[in-house]
Amino acid sequence: MTVEIQYTIGDEVKDVNDVRGGLNIFVNGRRVVQYQEEDPSQWRHSWEPKFAGEYLHTVFSGLVKRAISLSKGDVKIYQENVVKFGPTVSRLILEPLSDSDLRLAHRVTGGSVQEPPLPVSESARGYVVDRCEFSQAVSDAAHDYLADVRAFPLEWGEDLLEEFETALDELDKSLVDCANNTPSLQSRH
């Protein structure tokens, strides 16, 4: 199964800490983040529901951090790893199922005044993809995101970009040996 990550930036960026936008993951061309009700008038941001999230840099940072752990084999099989799409109720579940298989699922949590939009059953159940291919897709999208943000006339947040670049370098290094760094049933620590 092919994995691709797409994102959108909602406004001109002046502060890295406030990059507004969302992302979505595609498996064989199907969006992982999909909802039963996708009427655009029901959503707060113009990029929703096609893209999830509000503060894109925070989402990307969490995704890169999880991809590092996955590509290093530092997570246990059946351990659910969560990437939050910002202050929204959407969550991405990353669960290693074997040495190479990873389940990607989209879930929502409660907590808002109104009932959250529910994902379609395929999204909630998830898709099984190659763990290293997923981590590579994260790296590819993160490099594109970094180049896009650097192209804006930034006034603040250069230190956050440097931290992000360091994490991205760590991800790229871990990808070299990803297939040999397999998750186990036991904790490695």
Side-chain angles (χ1 to χ4, degrees), residues 8-46:
T8 185
I9 297 175
D11 309 311
E12 184 172 306
V13 177
K14 293 186 188 296
D15 181 357
V16 174
N17 205 24
D18 196 30
V19 178
R20 308 268 318 247
L23 66 79
N24 208 331
I25 300 165
F26 294 80
V27 176
N28 288 345
R30 291 187 54 99
R31 285 186 294 131
V32 172
V33 178
Q34 259 186 339
Y35 299 93
Q36 292 176 11
E37 177 57 52
E38 292 197 344
D39 176 7
S41 67
Q42 304 296 318
W43 297 85
R44 291 181 345 165
H45 305 291
S46 61

PDB file of all heavy atoms in Angstrom, residues 8-46:
ATOM      1  N   THR A   8      -1.909  21.486   3.991  1.00  0.00           N
ATOM      2  CA  THR A   8      -2.234  22.815   3.458  1.00  0.00           C
ATOM      3  C   THR A   8      -1.936  23.841   4.543  1.00  0.00           C
ATOM      4  O   THR A   8      -2.149  23.582   5.728  1.00  0.00           O
ATOM      5  CB  THR A   8      -3.713  22.894   3.001  1.00  0.00           C
ATOM      6  OG1 THR A   8      -3.941  24.161   2.393  1.00  0.00           O
ATOM      7  CG2 THR A   8      -4.676  22.692   4.146  1.00  0.00           C
ATOM      8  N   ILE A   9      -1.403  24.964   4.111  1.00  0.00           N
ATOM      9  CA  ILE A   9      -1.131  26.070   5.022  1.00  0.00           C
ATOM     10  C   ILE A   9      -2.205  27.112   4.773  1.00  0.00           C
ATOM     11  O   ILE A   9      -2.403  27.545   3.639  1.00  0.00           O
ATOM     12  CB  ILE A   9       0.285  26.641   4.812  1.00  0.00           C
ATOM     13  CG1 ILE A   9       1.322  25.562   5.148  1.00  0.00           C
ATOM     14  CG2 ILE A   9       0.503  27.893   5.662  1.00  0.00           C
ATOM     15  CD1 ILE A   9       2.764  25.954   4.867  1.00  0.00           C
ATOM     16  N   GLY A  10      -2.908  27.497   5.836  1.00  0.00           N
ATOM     17  CA  GLY A  10      -4.075  28.347   5.704  1.00  0.00           C
ATOM     18  C   GLY A  10      -3.801  29.821   5.484  1.00  0.00           C
ATOM     19  O   GLY A  10      -4.581  30.497   4.836  1.00  0.00           O
ATOM     20  N   ASP A  11      -2.714  30.356   6.002  1.00  0.00           N
ATOM     21  CA  ASP A  11      -2.439  31.790   5.936  1.00  0.00           C
ATOM     22  C   ASP A  11      -0.957  32.001   5.667  1.00  0.00           C
ATOM     23  O   ASP A  11      -0.162  31.072   5.762  1.00  0.00           O
ATOM     24  CB  ASP A  11      -2.742  32.479   7.281  1.00  0.00           C
ATOM     25  CG  ASP A  11      -4.115  32.171   7.822  1.00  0.00           C
ATOM     26  OD1 ASP A  11      -5.079  32.293   7.066  1.00  0.00           O
ATOM     27  OD2 ASP A  11      -4.205  31.810   9.011  1.00  0.00           O
ATOM     28  N   GLU A  12      -0.599  33.253   5.405  1.00  0.00           N
ATOM     29  CA  GLU A  12       0.811  33.592   5.324  1.00  0.00           C
ATOM     30  C   GLU A  12       1.424  33.391   6.711  1.00  0.00           C
ATOM     31  O   GLU A  12       0.811  33.711   7.728  1.00  0.00           O
ATOM     32  CB  GLU A  12       0.993  35.036   4.887  1.00  0.00           C
ATOM     33  CG  GLU A  12       2.447  35.400   4.693  1.00  0.00           C
ATOM     34  CD  GLU A  12       2.637  36.766   4.090  1.00  0.00           C
ATOM     35  OE1 GLU A  12       2.049  37.028   3.021  1.00  0.00           O
ATOM     36  OE2 GLU A  12       3.367  37.560   4.706  1.00  0.00           O
ATOM     37  N   VAL A  13       2.624  32.867   6.743  1.00  0.00           N
ATOM     38  CA  VAL A  13       3.278  32.529   8.005  1.00  0.00           C
ATOM     39  C   VAL A  13       4.260  33.625   8.396  1.00  0.00           C
ATOM     40  O   VAL A  13       5.121  33.998   7.612  1.00  0.00           O
ATOM     41  CB  VAL A  13       4.014  31.173   7.889  1.00  0.00           C
ATOM     42  CG1 VAL A  13       4.753  30.857   9.172  1.00  0.00           C
ATOM     43  CG2 VAL A  13       3.038  30.066   7.533  1.00  0.00           C
ATOM     44  N   LYS A  14       4.104  34.129   9.609  1.00  0.00           N
ATOM     45  CA  LYS A  14       5.062  35.078  10.172  1.00  0.00           C
ATOM     46  C   LYS A  14       5.716  34.491  11.420  1.00  0.00           C
ATOM     47  O   LYS A  14       6.819  34.859  11.769  1.00  0.00           O
ATOM     48  CB  LYS A  14       4.373  36.396  10.519  1.00  0.00           C
ATOM     49  CG  LYS A  14       3.879  37.149   9.303  1.00  0.00           C
ATOM     50  CD  LYS A  14       3.349  38.505   9.713  1.00  0.00           C
ATOM     51  CE  LYS A  14       2.674  39.238   8.615  1.00  0.00           C
ATOM     52  NZ  LYS A  14       3.396  39.635   7.503  1.00  0.00           N
ATOM     53  N   ASP A  15       4.998  33.578  12.072  1.00  0.00           N
ATOM     54  CA  ASP A  15       5.467  32.967  13.314  1.00  0.00           C
ATOM     55  C   ASP A  15       5.319  31.452  13.177  1.00  0.00           C
ATOM     56  O   ASP A  15       4.217  30.946  12.955  1.00  0.00           O
ATOM     57  CB  ASP A  15       4.625  33.480  14.487  1.00  0.00           C
ATOM     58  CG  ASP A  15       5.056  32.919  15.832  1.00  0.00           C
ATOM     59  OD1 ASP A  15       5.980  32.080  15.886  1.00  0.00           O
ATOM     60  OD2 ASP A  15       4.456  33.324  16.841  1.00  0.00           O
ATOM     61  N   VAL A  16       6.407  30.725  13.310  1.00  0.00           N
ATOM     62  CA  VAL A  16       6.387  29.267  13.161  1.00  0.00           C
ATOM     63  C   VAL A  16       5.438  28.631  14.175  1.00  0.00           C
ATOM     64  O   VAL A  16       4.773  27.643  13.875  1.00  0.00           O
ATOM     65  CB  VAL A  16       7.810  28.689  13.311  1.00  0.00           C
ATOM     66  CG1 VAL A  16       7.793  27.170  13.298  1.00  0.00           C
ATOM     67  CG2 VAL A  16       8.707  29.232  12.211  1.00  0.00           C
ATOM     68  N   ASN A  17       5.348  29.206  15.350  1.00  0.00           N
ATOM     69  CA  ASN A  17       4.485  28.661  16.393  1.00  0.00           C
ATOM     70  C   ASN A  17       3.006  28.786  16.050  1.00  0.00           C
ATOM     71  O   ASN A  17       2.165  28.170  16.685  1.00  0.00           O
ATOM     72  CB  ASN A  17       4.770  29.365  17.725  1.00  0.00           C
ATOM     73  CG  ASN A  17       4.418  28.515  18.905  1.00  0.00           C
ATOM     74  OD1 ASN A  17       4.371  27.297  18.820  1.00  0.00           O
ATOM     75  ND2 ASN A  17       4.180  29.154  20.024  1.00  0.00           N
ATOM     76  N   ASP A  18       2.701  29.571  15.036  1.00  0.00           N
ATOM     77  CA  ASP A  18       1.312  29.836  14.702  1.00  0.00           C
ATOM     78  C   ASP A  18       0.995  29.479  13.239  1.00  0.00           C
ATOM     79  O   ASP A  18       0.177  30.132  12.612  1.00  0.00           O
ATOM     80  CB  ASP A  18       0.999  31.315  14.968  1.00  0.00           C
ATOM     81  CG  ASP A  18      -0.501  31.590  15.023  1.00  0.00           C
ATOM     82  OD1 ASP A  18      -1.250  30.678  15.413  1.00  0.00           O
ATOM     83  OD2 ASP A  18      -0.907  32.701  14.657  1.00  0.00           O
ATOM     84  N   VAL A  19       1.656  28.464  12.701  1.00  0.00           N
ATOM     85  CA  VAL A  19       1.363  28.027  11.334  1.00  0.00           C
ATOM     86  C   VAL A  19       0.006  27.336  11.365  1.00  0.00           C
ATOM     87  O   VAL A  19      -0.160  26.291  11.984  1.00  0.00           O
ATOM     88  CB  VAL A  19       2.428  27.051  10.795  1.00  0.00           C
ATOM     89  CG1 VAL A  19       2.060  26.589   9.391  1.00  0.00           C
ATOM     90  CG2 VAL A  19       3.805  27.696  10.805  1.00  0.00           C
ATOM     91  N   ARG A  20      -0.966  27.942  10.717  1.00  0.00           N
ATOM     92  CA  ARG A  20      -2.321  27.389  10.709  1.00  0.00           C
ATOM     93  C   ARG A  20      -2.509  26.562   9.451  1.00  0.00           C
ATOM     94  O   ARG A  20      -2.081  26.946   8.374  1.00  0.00           O
ATOM     95  CB  ARG A  20      -3.343  28.523  10.756  1.00  0.00           C
ATOM     96  CG  ARG A  20      -3.132  29.513  11.880  1.00  0.00           C
ATOM     97  CD  ARG A  20      -3.836  29.265  13.166  1.00  0.00           C
ATOM     98  NE  ARG A  20      -5.184  28.822  13.043  1.00  0.00           N
ATOM     99  CZ  ARG A  20      -6.259  29.499  13.415  1.00  0.00           C
ATOM    100  NH1 ARG A  20      -6.126  30.700  13.910  1.00  0.00           N
ATOM    101  NH2 ARG A  20      -7.451  28.982  13.324  1.00  0.00           N
ATOM    102  N   GLY A  21      -3.168  25.430   9.605  1.00  0.00           N
ATOM    103  CA  GLY A  21      -3.434  24.554   8.472  1.00  0.00           C
ATOM    104  C   GLY A  21      -3.702  23.142   8.954  1.00  0.00           C
ATOM    105  O   GLY A  21      -3.882  22.894  10.145  1.00  0.00           O
ATOM    106  N   GLY A  22      -3.746  22.221   8.027  1.00  0.00           N
ATOM    107  CA  GLY A  22      -4.028  20.831   8.381  1.00  0.00           C
ATOM    108  C   GLY A  22      -3.312  19.871   7.457  1.00  0.00           C
ATOM    109  O   GLY A  22      -2.722  20.264   6.452  1.00  0.00           O
ATOM    110  N   LEU A  23      -3.374  18.591   7.818  1.00  0.00           N
ATOM    111  CA  LEU A  23      -2.776  17.571   6.980  1.00  0.00           C
ATOM    112  C   LEU A  23      -3.690  16.364   6.918  1.00  0.00           C
ATOM    113  O   LEU A  23      -4.638  16.220   7.698  1.00  0.00           O
ATOM    114  CB  LEU A  23      -1.367  17.199   7.441  1.00  0.00           C
ATOM    115  CG  LEU A  23      -1.120  16.508   8.777  1.00  0.00           C
ATOM    116  CD1 LEU A  23      -1.423  15.026   8.727  1.00  0.00           C
ATOM    117  CD2 LEU A  23       0.334  16.678   9.153  1.00  0.00           C
ATOM    118  N   ASN A  24      -3.391  15.506   5.969  1.00  0.00           N
ATOM    119  CA  ASN A  24      -4.098  14.247   5.848  1.00  0.00           C
ATOM    120  C   ASN A  24      -3.138  13.223   5.287  1.00  0.00           C
ATOM    121  O   ASN A  24      -2.158  13.567   4.627  1.00  0.00           O
ATOM    122  CB  ASN A  24      -5.348  14.361   4.969  1.00  0.00           C
ATOM    123  CG  ASN A  24      -6.415  13.353   5.356  1.00  0.00           C
ATOM    124  OD1 ASN A  24      -6.117  12.278   5.856  1.00  0.00           O
ATOM    125  ND2 ASN A  24      -7.665  13.717   5.135  1.00  0.00           N
ATOM    126  N   ILE A  25      -3.427  11.973   5.583  1.00  0.00           N
ATOM    127  CA  ILE A  25      -2.626  10.850   5.117  1.00  0.00           C
ATOM    128  C   ILE A  25      -3.475  10.069   4.139  1.00  0.00           C
ATOM    129  O   ILE A  25      -4.661   9.833   4.385  1.00  0.00           O
ATOM    130  CB  ILE A  25      -2.189   9.979   6.311  1.00  0.00           C
ATOM    131  CG1 ILE A  25      -1.356  10.836   7.263  1.00  0.00           C
ATOM    132  CG2 ILE A  25      -1.418   8.758   5.839  1.00  0.00           C
ATOM    133  CD1 ILE A  25      -1.169  10.248   8.621  1.00  0.00           C
ATOM    134  N   PHE A  26      -2.862   9.681   3.044  1.00  0.00           N
ATOM    135  CA  PHE A  26      -3.555   8.915   2.016  1.00  0.00           C
ATOM    136  C   PHE A  26      -2.914   7.535   1.911  1.00  0.00           C
ATOM    137  O   PHE A  26      -1.694   7.417   1.880  1.00  0.00           O
ATOM    138  CB  PHE A  26      -3.458   9.631   0.662  1.00  0.00           C
ATOM    139  CG  PHE A  26      -4.190  10.938   0.638  1.00  0.00           C
ATOM    140  CD1 PHE A  26      -3.633  12.081   1.188  1.00  0.00           C
ATOM    141  CD2 PHE A  26      -5.451  11.027   0.069  1.00  0.00           C
ATOM    142  CE1 PHE A  26      -4.312  13.290   1.177  1.00  0.00           C
ATOM    143  CE2 PHE A  26      -6.138  12.232   0.055  1.00  0.00           C
ATOM    144  CZ  PHE A  26      -5.565  13.362   0.609  1.00  0.00           C
ATOM    145  N   VAL A  27      -3.756   6.515   1.887  1.00  0.00           N
ATOM    146  CA  VAL A  27      -3.304   5.142   1.684  1.00  0.00           C
ATOM    147  C   VAL A  27      -3.963   4.665   0.401  1.00  0.00           C
ATOM    148  O   VAL A  27      -5.198   4.616   0.320  1.00  0.00           O
ATOM    149  CB  VAL A  27      -3.686   4.238   2.878  1.00  0.00           C
ATOM    150  CG1 VAL A  27      -3.308   2.795   2.605  1.00  0.00           C
ATOM    151  CG2 VAL A  27      -3.023   4.735   4.158  1.00  0.00           C
ATOM    152  N   ASN A  28      -3.141   4.369  -0.588  1.00  0.00           N
ATOM    153  CA  ASN A  28      -3.644   4.010  -1.921  1.00  0.00           C
ATOM    154  C   ASN A  28      -4.670   5.023  -2.413  1.00  0.00           C
ATOM    155  O   ASN A  28      -5.698   4.663  -2.980  1.00  0.00           O
ATOM    156  CB  ASN A  28      -4.226   2.604  -1.947  1.00  0.00           C
ATOM    157  CG  ASN A  28      -3.154   1.541  -1.855  1.00  0.00           C
ATOM    158  OD1 ASN A  28      -1.979   1.821  -2.051  1.00  0.00           O
ATOM    159  ND2 ASN A  28      -3.549   0.327  -1.552  1.00  0.00           N
ATOM    160  N   GLY A  29      -4.403   6.287  -2.165  1.00  0.00           N
ATOM    161  CA  GLY A  29      -5.268   7.356  -2.645  1.00  0.00           C
ATOM    162  C   GLY A  29      -6.488   7.662  -1.788  1.00  0.00           C
ATOM    163  O   GLY A  29      -7.214   8.603  -2.059  1.00  0.00           O
ATOM    164  N   ARG A  30      -6.728   6.886  -0.737  1.00  0.00           N
ATOM    165  CA  ARG A  30      -7.876   7.124   0.149  1.00  0.00           C
ATOM    166  C   ARG A  30      -7.434   7.896   1.384  1.00  0.00           C
ATOM    167  O   ARG A  30      -6.429   7.562   2.001  1.00  0.00           O
ATOM    168  CB  ARG A  30      -8.511   5.804   0.588  1.00  0.00           C
ATOM    169  CG  ARG A  30      -9.206   5.070  -0.538  1.00  0.00           C
ATOM    170  CD  ARG A  30      -9.951   3.859  -0.014  1.00  0.00           C
ATOM    171  NE  ARG A  30     -10.859   4.198   1.065  1.00  0.00           N
ATOM    172  CZ  ARG A  30     -12.158   4.384   0.917  1.00  0.00           C
ATOM    173  NH1 ARG A  30     -12.713   4.274  -0.252  1.00  0.00           N
ATOM    174  NH2 ARG A  30     -12.917   4.650   1.969  1.00  0.00           N
ATOM    175  N   ARG A  31      -8.232   8.910   1.749  1.00  0.00           N
ATOM    176  CA  ARG A  31      -7.920   9.705   2.939  1.00  0.00           C
ATOM    177  C   ARG A  31      -8.123   8.871   4.201  1.00  0.00           C
ATOM    178  O   ARG A  31      -9.163   8.256   4.381  1.00  0.00           O
ATOM    179  CB  ARG A  31      -8.841  10.924   3.027  1.00  0.00           C
ATOM    180  CG  ARG A  31      -8.511  12.024   2.072  1.00  0.00           C
ATOM    181  CD  ARG A  31      -9.349  13.273   2.291  1.00  0.00           C
ATOM    182  NE  ARG A  31     -10.758  13.025   2.000  1.00  0.00           N
ATOM    183  CZ  ARG A  31     -11.758  13.349   2.804  1.00  0.00           C
ATOM    184  NH1 ARG A  31     -11.546  13.949   3.940  1.00  0.00           N
ATOM    185  NH2 ARG A  31     -12.993  13.100   2.458  1.00  0.00           N
ATOM    186  N   VAL A  32      -7.141   8.890   5.076  1.00  0.00           N
ATOM    187  CA  VAL A  32      -7.291   8.219   6.373  1.00  0.00           C
ATOM    188  C   VAL A  32      -8.240   9.020   7.252  1.00  0.00           C
ATOM    189  O   VAL A  32      -9.092   8.466   7.931  1.00  0.00           O
ATOM    190  CB  VAL A  32      -5.920   8.015   7.064  1.00  0.00           C
ATOM    191  CG1 VAL A  32      -6.093   7.506   8.480  1.00  0.00           C
ATOM    192  CG2 VAL A  32      -5.058   7.054   6.242  1.00  0.00           C
ATOM    193  N   VAL A  33      -8.096  10.346   7.243  1.00  0.00           N
ATOM    194  CA  VAL A  33      -8.976  11.196   8.039  1.00  0.00           C
ATOM    195  C   VAL A  33     -10.202  11.519   7.182  1.00  0.00           C
ATOM    196  O   VAL A  33     -10.150  12.354   6.286  1.00  0.00           O
ATOM    197  CB  VAL A  33      -8.270  12.492   8.484  1.00  0.00           C
ATOM    198  CG1 VAL A  33      -9.224  13.380   9.265  1.00  0.00           C
ATOM    199  CG2 VAL A  33      -7.041  12.161   9.314  1.00  0.00           C
ATOM    200  N   GLN A  34     -11.279  10.794   7.455  1.00  0.00           N
ATOM    201  CA  GLN A  34     -12.551  10.976   6.758  1.00  0.00           C
ATOM    202  C   GLN A  34     -13.666  10.921   7.787  1.00  0.00           C
ATOM    203  O   GLN A  34     -13.602  10.152   8.742  1.00  0.00           O
ATOM    204  CB  GLN A  34     -12.779   9.838   5.764  1.00  0.00           C
ATOM    205  CG  GLN A  34     -12.486  10.171   4.367  1.00  0.00           C
ATOM    206  CD  GLN A  34     -12.880   9.019   3.441  1.00  0.00           C
ATOM    207  OE1 GLN A  34     -13.004   7.876   3.841  1.00  0.00           O
ATOM    208  NE2 GLN A  34     -13.068   9.346   2.203  1.00  0.00           N
ATOM    209  N   TYR A  35     -14.673  11.720   7.559  1.00  0.00           N
ATOM    210  CA  TYR A  35     -15.791  11.796   8.487  1.00  0.00           C
ATOM    211  C   TYR A  35     -17.086  11.354   7.806  1.00  0.00           C
ATOM    212  O   TYR A  35     -17.224  11.457   6.591  1.00  0.00           O
ATOM    213  CB  TYR A  35     -15.976  13.230   9.000  1.00  0.00           C
ATOM    214  CG  TYR A  35     -14.781  13.748   9.744  1.00  0.00           C
ATOM    215  CD1 TYR A  35     -13.784  14.466   9.091  1.00  0.00           C
ATOM    216  CD2 TYR A  35     -14.638  13.520  11.104  1.00  0.00           C
ATOM    217  CE1 TYR A  35     -12.691  14.945   9.773  1.00  0.00           C
ATOM    218  CE2 TYR A  35     -13.536  14.001  11.794  1.00  0.00           C
ATOM    219  CZ  TYR A  35     -12.563  14.709  11.122  1.00  0.00           C
ATOM    220  OH  TYR A  35     -11.468  15.174  11.804  1.00  0.00           O
ATOM    221  N   GLN A  36     -18.039  10.899   8.630  1.00  0.00           N
ATOM    222  CA  GLN A  36     -19.352  10.532   8.111  1.00  0.00           C
ATOM    223  C   GLN A  36     -20.071  11.758   7.559  1.00  0.00           C
ATOM    224  O   GLN A  36     -20.769  11.679   6.560  1.00  0.00           O
ATOM    225  CB  GLN A  36     -20.193   9.868   9.201  1.00  0.00           C
ATOM    226  CG  GLN A  36     -19.670   8.528   9.609  1.00  0.00           C
ATOM    227  CD  GLN A  36     -20.456   7.921  10.752  1.00  0.00           C
ATOM    228  OE1 GLN A  36     -21.529   8.397  11.124  1.00  0.00           O
ATOM    229  NE2 GLN A  36     -19.927   6.849  11.330  1.00  0.00           N
ATOM    230  N   GLU A  37     -19.918  12.883   8.215  1.00  0.00           N
ATOM    231  CA  GLU A  37     -20.559  14.133   7.785  1.00  0.00           C
ATOM    232  C   GLU A  37     -19.471  15.120   7.393  1.00  0.00           C
ATOM    233  O   GLU A  37     -18.724  15.586   8.249  1.00  0.00           O
ATOM    234  CB  GLU A  37     -21.409  14.710   8.920  1.00  0.00           C
ATOM    235  CG  GLU A  37     -22.060  16.028   8.604  1.00  0.00           C
ATOM    236  CD  GLU A  37     -22.944  15.986   7.366  1.00  0.00           C
ATOM    237  OE1 GLU A  37     -23.813  15.112   7.286  1.00  0.00           O
ATOM    238  OE2 GLU A  37     -22.735  16.827   6.482  1.00  0.00           O
ATOM    239  N   GLU A  38     -19.386  15.437   6.105  1.00  0.00           N
ATOM    240  CA  GLU A  38     -18.322  16.311   5.637  1.00  0.00           C
ATOM    241  C   GLU A  38     -18.842  17.581   4.969  1.00  0.00           C
ATOM    242  O   GLU A  38     -18.175  18.150   4.111  1.00  0.00           O
ATOM    243  CB  GLU A  38     -17.374  15.551   4.702  1.00  0.00           C
ATOM    244  CG  GLU A  38     -16.564  14.491   5.432  1.00  0.00           C
ATOM    245  CD  GLU A  38     -15.357  14.019   4.657  1.00  0.00           C
ATOM    246  OE1 GLU A  38     -15.276  14.255   3.435  1.00  0.00           O
ATOM    247  OE2 GLU A  38     -14.476  13.423   5.289  1.00  0.00           O
ATOM    248  N   ASP A  39     -19.986  18.039   5.373  1.00  0.00           N
ATOM    249  CA  ASP A  39     -20.523  19.290   4.852  1.00  0.00           C
ATOM    250  C   ASP A  39     -19.594  20.421   5.314  1.00  0.00           C
ATOM    251  O   ASP A  39     -19.465  20.676   6.516  1.00  0.00           O
ATOM    252  CB  ASP A  39     -21.941  19.512   5.374  1.00  0.00           C
ATOM    253  CG  ASP A  39     -22.542  20.841   4.957  1.00  0.00           C
ATOM    254  OD1 ASP A  39     -21.914  21.560   4.147  1.00  0.00           O
ATOM    255  OD2 ASP A  39     -23.638  21.155   5.439  1.00  0.00           O
ATOM    256  N   PRO A  40     -18.920  21.114   4.377  1.00  0.00           N
ATOM    257  CA  PRO A  40     -17.947  22.149   4.758  1.00  0.00           C
ATOM    258  C   PRO A  40     -18.524  23.256   5.639  1.00  0.00           C
ATOM    259  O   PRO A  40     -17.790  23.876   6.403  1.00  0.00           O
ATOM    260  CB  PRO A  40     -17.481  22.721   3.415  1.00  0.00           C
ATOM    261  CG  PRO A  40     -17.794  21.665   2.413  1.00  0.00           C
ATOM    262  CD  PRO A  40     -18.999  20.927   2.935  1.00  0.00           C
ATOM    263  N   SER A  41     -19.801  23.514   5.565  1.00  0.00           N
ATOM    264  CA  SER A  41     -20.386  24.582   6.385  1.00  0.00           C
ATOM    265  C   SER A  41     -20.416  24.226   7.868  1.00  0.00           C
ATOM    266  O   SER A  41     -20.621  25.094   8.710  1.00  0.00           O
ATOM    267  CB  SER A  41     -21.804  24.910   5.906  1.00  0.00           C
ATOM    268  OG  SER A  41     -22.680  23.824   6.152  1.00  0.00           O
ATOM    269  N   GLN A  42     -20.187  22.965   8.205  1.00  0.00           N
ATOM    270  CA  GLN A  42     -20.202  22.514   9.598  1.00  0.00           C
ATOM    271  C   GLN A  42     -18.834  22.635  10.278  1.00  0.00           C
ATOM    272  O   GLN A  42     -18.698  22.297  11.445  1.00  0.00           O
ATOM    273  CB  GLN A  42     -20.666  21.048   9.669  1.00  0.00           C
ATOM    274  CG  GLN A  42     -22.015  20.785   9.042  1.00  0.00           C
ATOM    275  CD  GLN A  42     -23.129  21.507   9.768  1.00  0.00           C
ATOM    276  OE1 GLN A  42     -23.164  21.555  10.983  1.00  0.00           O
ATOM    277  NE2 GLN A  42     -24.025  22.108   8.998  1.00  0.00           N
ATOM    278  N   TRP A  43     -17.839  23.118   9.559  1.00  0.00           N
ATOM    279  CA  TRP A  43     -16.474  23.129  10.073  1.00  0.00           C
ATOM    280  C   TRP A  43     -15.997  24.559  10.297  1.00  0.00           C
ATOM    281  O   TRP A  43     -16.413  25.483   9.630  1.00  0.00           O
ATOM    282  CB  TRP A  43     -15.556  22.396   9.099  1.00  0.00           C
ATOM    283  CG  TRP A  43     -15.952  20.962   8.971  1.00  0.00           C
ATOM    284  CD1 TRP A  43     -16.908  20.450   8.131  1.00  0.00           C
ATOM    285  CD2 TRP A  43     -15.472  19.873   9.730  1.00  0.00           C
ATOM    286  NE1 TRP A  43     -17.024  19.105   8.322  1.00  0.00           N
ATOM    287  CE2 TRP A  43     -16.149  18.712   9.302  1.00  0.00           C
ATOM    288  CE3 TRP A  43     -14.522  19.739  10.735  1.00  0.00           C
ATOM    289  CZ2 TRP A  43     -15.914  17.468   9.843  1.00  0.00           C
ATOM    290  CZ3 TRP A  43     -14.287  18.490  11.272  1.00  0.00           C
ATOM    291  CH2 TRP A  43     -14.976  17.370  10.822  1.00  0.00           C
ATOM    292  N   ARG A  44     -15.049  24.721  11.226  1.00  0.00           N
ATOM    293  CA  ARG A  44     -14.538  26.049  11.590  1.00  0.00           C
ATOM    294  C   ARG A  44     -13.531  26.609  10.585  1.00  0.00           C
ATOM    295  O   ARG A  44     -13.444  27.805  10.410  1.00  0.00           O
ATOM    296  CB  ARG A  44     -13.839  25.979  12.954  1.00  0.00           C
ATOM    297  CG  ARG A  44     -14.771  25.733  14.096  1.00  0.00           C
ATOM    298  CD  ARG A  44     -14.084  25.699  15.426  1.00  0.00           C
ATOM    299  NE  ARG A  44     -12.634  25.558  15.367  1.00  0.00           N
ATOM    300  CZ  ARG A  44     -11.829  25.789  16.363  1.00  0.00           C
ATOM    301  NH1 ARG A  44     -12.301  26.172  17.513  1.00  0.00           N
ATOM    302  NH2 ARG A  44     -10.528  25.636  16.235  1.00  0.00           N
ATOM    303  N   HIS A  45     -12.731  25.752   9.975  1.00  0.00           N
ATOM    304  CA  HIS A  45     -11.644  26.215   9.114  1.00  0.00           C
ATOM    305  C   HIS A  45     -11.874  25.793   7.671  1.00  0.00           C
ATOM    306  O   HIS A  45     -12.446  24.741   7.405  1.00  0.00           O
ATOM    307  CB  HIS A  45     -10.303  25.657   9.606  1.00  0.00           C
ATOM    308  CG  HIS A  45     -10.018  25.980  11.033  1.00  0.00           C
ATOM    309  ND1 HIS A  45      -9.739  27.264  11.464  1.00  0.00           N
ATOM    310  CD2 HIS A  45      -9.980  25.204  12.130  1.00  0.00           C
ATOM    311  CE1 HIS A  45      -9.539  27.250  12.766  1.00  0.00           C
ATOM    312  NE2 HIS A  45      -9.683  26.011  13.198  1.00  0.00           N
ATOM    313  N   SER A  46     -11.394  26.594   6.751  1.00  0.00           N
ATOM    314  CA  SER A  46     -11.613  26.341   5.327  1.00  0.00           C
ATOM    315  C   SER A  46     -10.982  25.033   4.852  1.00  0.00           C
ATOM    316  O   SER A  46     -11.445  24.451   3.889  1.00  0.00           O
ATOM    317  CB  SER A  46     -11.076  27.506   4.498  1.00  0.00           C
ATOM    318  OG  SER A  46      -9.679  27.652   4.709  1.00  0.00           O
TER     319      SER A  46
END
